[in-house]
Amino acid sequence: MTPNSPSEKRLDELREEAWKEGVVAGKGVDVAGGPIPRKPGYYGQAVVKPPVWTWEVPFYFFFGGMAGMSAVIATGASIFHHLDLARTAMWIASIAGAILSPILLIMDLGRPRLFLNMLRVFKHRSAMSMGAWILTAFGACAVPGLIALELNAHQIFPGTLDQLLRVAAGIFICGAAIFGTLLATYTGVLIGATAIPAWFLHRTQLPIHFGTAGLGCAAALLELLGHRIAALNFLGFYAAGVETALLIWLSVDKHGAADRAIHEHRSGWLIRIGEVLNGPLALILRFFGLVPLAAISFLIGALVSRFGWIAVGRVSGSDPEAVFAAERY
Amino acid sequence: MAVWCARFFESNLGLRFTRCDQNDSTRLGRPCGRAGGGDGLERKDQQSMIGEGIQSTNQRKHSYVRDNVEVGFFTDPTVCIGCKACEVACKEWNQVPDDGYVWLGNSYDNTGHLGASTWRHVMFLEQDRAKGNQIAGPMGLLNPQSDLSAVASAEAEDPFRWVFLSDVCKHCEEAGCLEACPTGSIVRTEVGSVLVQDDVCNGCGYCVVSCPFGVIDRRPQPLPDAGGAFKCTFCYDRQKSGLVPACAKVCPTESIVFGRLDDLRARGADRVRQLQQSGYNDAQLYDPTETTVRGIHAFFLILGEPEAYGLPPKPQIPTIYLKSAWTSAFATAIASIIATLLAFAFFS
Ligand code: SF4
Ligand code: SF4
Ligand code: SF4
C-alpha cells in the first residue's frame, strides 16, 4: 500500500477525526492495535469530576471579596476619622456582602429552597461550611454596623444614646472587618482544598490572590465613587503590586501537565488577561496618575480572573492526564 | 411445601411473600424491613471462594446493619462477563432516572463514567496484552486445523485482552465527599458505607469537586430529583432489611462479591495470588490504603495499571490541603489589615 493510497488517506482522516471529535463515527474503529491514537486513562474520561458551578460563583467570589475588604477599609477610615469614606465603605460591604453575595450563593445551589441546611452543622474541615458561617457572621456584623453608623452620622439620637451608637458601630465594623478578611480569602481555600489538580496545586496562591484582589476592588470602587484620597491610592498600588507578583509566581511555578489548564486553553487566557488587567496594567496606569482607569482595569481584571479560575477547574477536572501527573508528583 | 418454598425464596433470593406489618418500607413495591434471620453469618462459611452459588455471601440474608459489621464489595474483573446486569439492577432498584441514550463507542461501553444517574458502570478495556496464559495469535489462525506450534509462534505478535470491570463508589475510609458536605447530608452508616441523605442535600456541589475518584455528581435538570448530589447508596435500604445490594445480588458470575470487609480483603489477596500463579502477572488489588484515603470499602482487583481504568493511582483526600490554604488565607487577612492601617496612618 503506498502512502497515498485511498485507504491510507482514509486512515489519516479517521485519526484526525478521532483527535478532534473524541469519537469516530465509524463503529468499532477505536480498538487496541487499531489506527486511532489511544486516549489517556479510560477512553479519555475524566478521573475527577469538574465543578458544576456556573456564573454565579465567580460573581459571588468577586462581590464577597469586595464586600469583605470594604469593611476593612471602613475600619481604617473610622479609626482615622474619615467618616464619609467609612459610610460609603459600609454601604458597599452591606449591599455586596449581605445582599448580593447570599443571593448569588443561593442561586447557585441545585436546591435553593434548602439553603438554610447550610447552617445545620458547623464543620471546620469543610471550607464550604466555614464559608457559609463566615458569610452569615459578616452579614450579621455589617448591617447593624451600617445602621449604627448612619444613625450616628445623622445625629438622630441625642447625648448618651449617640455615644452608645458610636461604640456599637465601632464594634460591629471591627467584627465585619475580621469576618470580612476571611470572607475575601476563604474562597481561595474553598477551591484550593479540592481534588481538582490545577486548584490544589495552587492552594497557597489562591487565598492571596482572592484576598488581595478583594482589597484592590474595594479601594477601586471607593475611588470611582469619588473618594480620591492618598490612602486608597496606596492600597491600589499595594493590591496591583501583589497581583503582579502573583502573575510572575504563577508563570514560574509550573507543574507541567498537572496544571496546564492555567497555561493553555481558553481558561489559561482568561487567567492571563485577568491577571494582566489587575496586575501590571493597573500598576502602570496608577503610576501615571490615571487613577480612574487603573481602578476600572483592576475591577475588570479581578472579575475576569475569577471566571478564569472556575474555567481552569472545569478544564483541569476533565483532564485525566492532569490528575495522573499531579498524583505522580 | 408452599411454606417451605416461600421461606426458601425469602431467605435466598430476598423476595418476600409474608405480609409486612412494619412501616419502615419507604417506597412502594419494595420488601419491607426486618433485619435478617437473627443469626449473623458464621465465619466458617465465609472462607470459601468465588463461585460457590447459593452458599456465598451474595445470596444470603444477613444482619450486618444491626450488628454494625463493616461490609464491602470486592469486584473481580477476571470473572466478569460484561453483561451489565449490575448496572441495570442498580437503576431499577434505586429508580435512577434515564440520563440519555448516548453512543460513545468506547468498546461496548456507552455508559461513560459514574455520575449522578449512573451508580454502577461496567468498563470495557481493550488492551494489547495477553490475559494470563492465553494463547494469542492473529485471528483466523485459530481454527481446528491449524497446528498449535504455528499458534505459539504467533503468540508474541498479537496479544489482546478484553477486561470488564464494574466500577462503583468506593465508599472511602476517609471520604472526601463526606468531609466537604456543608449540610451534613452525607453520613457514614453502621456498615461503614457513605450515604447521601437526599432530603438534606441542597445541591451546593462541593462534594463533586472533593471526591478524589470523580464519583458523586449533581443531577442536572430536567431529570427527577434534579439539583441534588447522587451516588451509590450501597443499597442501604436493602441492607437494613438484611438483603444483599442489588448489583451483587444479580451478578451472575459473582464478579461483585458482597460481604464482611475483612473477609473480602483476605479473599481478594487470595485471588491475586491464585491469578498470579496462573500467569496473570499484572494482577493486583486496587485499594489505596497507604494514601490519605486510607483504603476503600469497595475495592477492585485490576489487571495492569490503575490509570487504564480511570482510577487515580494515588488518591488523596482534599482536606490535607486545608492547612496550607488556611495558613495562606490568614496571612493574607493579616497583611490586608496591616496594609490598610498603614495606608491610613501615613497618607491621611
Ligand atoms: S468514592 Fe467519592 S463519592 Fe464515594 S465515598 Fe469516596 S469520596 Fe465519596
Ligand atoms: S451537594 Fe449536597 S451532598 Fe454535596 S456537599 Fe452539597 S449539600 Fe452536601
Ligand atoms: S450497592 Fe446498590 S446503589 Fe450501589 S451500585 Fe450496587 S445496586 Fe447500585
Side-chain angles (χ1 to χ4, degrees):
Chain A
M1 216 190 300
T2 62
N4 296 329
S5 75
S7 36
E8 274 299 305
K9 272 215 190 100
R10 173 79 187 117
L11 274 187
D12 277 339
E13 277 168 33
L14 283 176
R15 282 192 192 106
E16 197 99 321
E17 192 188 334
W19 270 123
K20 266 200 213 123
E21 315 287 333
V23 256
V24 177
K27 292 170 190 173
V29 189
D30 186 7
V31 294
I36 309 301
R38 317 236 66 199
K39 292 206 202 133
Y42 179 73
Y43 299 100
Q45 294 279 342
V47 173
V48 295
K49 283 260 178 297
V52 288
W53 297 327
T54 40
W55 60 270
E56 296 94 342
V57 169
F59 269 111
Y60 164 65
F61 287 1
F62 178 74
F63 284 119
M66 190 156 83
M69 288 303 185
S70 286
V72 178
I73 294 182
T75 310
S78 18
I79 292 176
F80 292 93
H81 308 294
H82 294 276
L83 194 59
D84 267 354
L85 179 62
R87 279 170 58 201
T88 323
M90 282 315 283
W91 274 105
I92 296 177
S94 301
I95 293 174
I99 300 174
L100 284 178
S101 295
I103 290 177
L104 287 166
L105 191 62
I106 292 171
M107 274 170 70
D108 174 65
L109 296 178
R111 294 167 172 168
R113 76 206 142 76
L114 295 183
F115 167 70
L116 280 181
N117 280 2
M118 291 264 195
L119 305 181
R120 259 179 96 235
V121 287
F122 181 91
K123 286 167 88 171
H124 71 279
R125 299 238 294 165
S126 164
M128 184 68 96
S129 172
M130 294 306 286
W133 285 106
I134 289 170
L135 183 63
T136 311
F138 179 76
C141 286
V143 176
L146 173 69
I147 294 172
L149 196 61
E150 285 295 322
L151 289 179
N152 178 248
H154 289 103
Q155 309 269 316
I156 307 255
F157 298 108
T160 3
L161 209 51
D162 205 47
Q163 288 299 317
L164 270 178
L165 268 177
R166 267 184 63 172
V167 175
I171 292 172
F172 279 122
I173 294 174
C174 273
I178 289 169
F179 289 115
T181 53
L182 297 179
L183 180 63
T185 50
Y186 99 88
T187 44
V189 181
L190 181 79
I191 67 171
T194 61
I196 308 288
W199 283 353
F200 73 68
L201 287 171
H202 296 281
R203 56 187 179 276
T204 321
Q205 281 110 315
L206 280 166
I208 304 179
H209 165 52
F210 284 3
T212 311
L215 183 61
C217 285
L221 189 63
L222 283 167
E223 282 179 326
L224 288 180
L225 291 176
H227 293 279
R228 292 282 297 276
I229 62 169
L232 290 182
N233 196 28
F234 170 80
L235 286 181
F237 269 118
Y238 167 77
V242 173
E243 291 296 332
T244 311
L246 277 177
L247 177 61
I248 296 168
W249 185 357
L250 212 54
S251 14
V252 173
D253 181 28
K254 286 190 182 179
H255 300 258
D259 70 345
R260 60 184 171 196
I262 295 177
H263 308 288
E264 298 168 14
H265 305 281
R266 241 178 291 166
S267 55
W269 279 109
L270 276 180
I271 295 261
R272 238 166 290 160
I273 293 171
E275 287 283 296
V276 167
L277 283 177
N278 71 5
L281 188 64
L283 202 59
I284 292 169
L285 289 172
R286 209 172 270 280
F287 191 74
F288 287 109
L290 304 167
V291 174
L293 284 183
I296 292 172
S297 162
F298 194 95
L299 283 168
I300 296 177
L303 187 59
V304 170
S305 69
R306 262 117 163 136
F307 272 93
W309 276 105
I310 297 295
V312 159
R314 229 172 277 138
V315 173
S316 185
S318 331
D319 178 359
E321 270 181 326
V323 180
F324 299 147
E327 286 179 10
R328 266 186 241 111
Y329 235 75
Chain B
M1 186 62 186
V3 173
W4 182 85
C5 274
R7 283 237 184 87
F8 175 85
F9 283 121
E10 206 176 286
S11 58
N12 290 319
L13 300 175
L15 304 174
R16 283 196 71 95
F17 296 97
T18 39
R19 229 189 100 241
C20 169
D21 32 35
Q22 275 140 317
N23 48 11
D24 58 348
S25 68
T26 43
R27 278 190 227 172
L28 221 59
R30 297 226 177 141
C32 43
R34 188 192 57 170
D39 50 327
L41 283 172
E42 281 171 36
R43 307 276 297 180
K44 190 165 94 273
D45 301 333
Q46 303 265 327
Q47 304 300 325
S48 39
M49 288 302 293
I50 298 167
E52 59 208 330
I54 230 147
Q55 292 297 310
S56 88
T57 49
N58 270 13
Q59 302 300 336
R60 298 258 206 100
K61 282 210 132 189
H62 60 80
S63 55
Y64 294 138
V65 174
R66 203 188 51 199
D67 303 343
N68 292 344
V69 177
E70 271 206 298
V71 298
F73 277 137
F74 167 48
T75 310
D76 179 355
T78 56
V79 290
C80 178
I81 54 171
C83 66
K84 299 190 193 176
C86 49
E87 267 189 56
V88 176
C90 177
K91 278 238 177 198
E92 288 207 347
W93 176 266
N94 296 296
Q95 302 175 340
V96 183
D98 169 15
D99 54 347
Y101 190 65
V102 203
W103 173 250
L104 295 174
N106 298 337
S107 190
Y108 276 60
D109 173 12
N110 294 303
T111 307
H113 199 268
L114 295 173
S117 307
T118 307
W119 302 351
R120 265 275 173 202
H121 164 221
V122 183
M123 302 194 234
F124 286 68
L125 270 73
E126 297 180 11
Q127 296 183 316
D128 320 326
R129 299 200 203 165
K131 190 172 190 173
N133 288 333
Q134 168 197 49
I135 299 173
M139 278 192 281
L141 263 186
L142 280 173
N143 59 51
Q145 278 84 28
S146 72
D147 88 76
L148 263 173
S149 62
V151 175
S153 69
E155 188 179 332
E157 270 177 40
D158 208 5
F160 173 80
R161 71 181 178 196
W162 213 9
V163 185
F164 319 126
L165 177 69
S166 184
D167 194 11
V168 70
C169 166
K170 317 310 182 271
H171 296 281
C172 313
E173 189 69 43
E174 297 281 340
C177 61
L178 191 155
E179 295 290 352
C181 179
T183 64
S185 154
I186 307 186
V187 293
R188 172 105 35 209
T189 67
E190 301 91 318
V191 287
S193 61
V194 176
L195 182 72
V196 186
Q197 305 171 90
D198 185 43
D199 51 343
V200 181
C201 171
N202 68 13
C204 71
Y206 197 41
C207 51
V208 177
V209 285
S210 299
C211 167
F213 299 95
V215 171
I216 193 166
D217 204 357
R218 194 162 85 180
R219 188 175 287 168
Q221 301 289 349
L223 297 179
D225 300 325
F230 289 90
K231 69 172 192 71
C232 159
T233 63
F234 221 131
C235 283
Y236 183 60
D237 51 347
R238 287 178 64 91
Q239 289 204 42
K240 266 203 297 198
S241 314
L243 300 177
V244 165
C247 51
K249 184 83 195 174
V250 296
C251 181
T253 60
E254 291 194 358
S255 167
I256 302 172
V257 195
F258 167 79
R260 300 173 66 108
L261 188 60
D262 39 3
D263 288 338
L264 289 184
R265 287 218 162 110
R267 182 185 268 222
D270 272 355
R271 180 69 182 153
V272 168
R273 224 169 293 126
Q274 192 186 356
L275 282 169
Q276 277 176 343
Q277 275 160 15
S278 36
Y280 289 76
N281 295 321
D282 54 359
Q284 53 167 315
L285 284 187
Y286 180 76
D287 186 5
T289 42
E290 68 302 329
T291 75
T292 47
V293 168
R294 294 210 300 117
I296 50 184
H297 289 205
F299 62 100
F300 306 88
L301 190 156
I302 53 173
L303 302 177
E305 298 311 309
E307 283 94 333
Y309 299 80
L311 293 170
K314 265 203 214 137
Q316 305 285 1
I317 181 168
T319 46
I320 56 168
Y321 308 128
L322 280 175
K323 205 172 153 205
S324 44
W326 274 121
T327 309
S328 159
F330 287 133
T332 312
I334 292 169
S336 304
I337 293 178
I338 292 176
T340 311
L341 292 181
L342 283 183
F344 281 103
F346 286 104
F347 296 98
S348 54

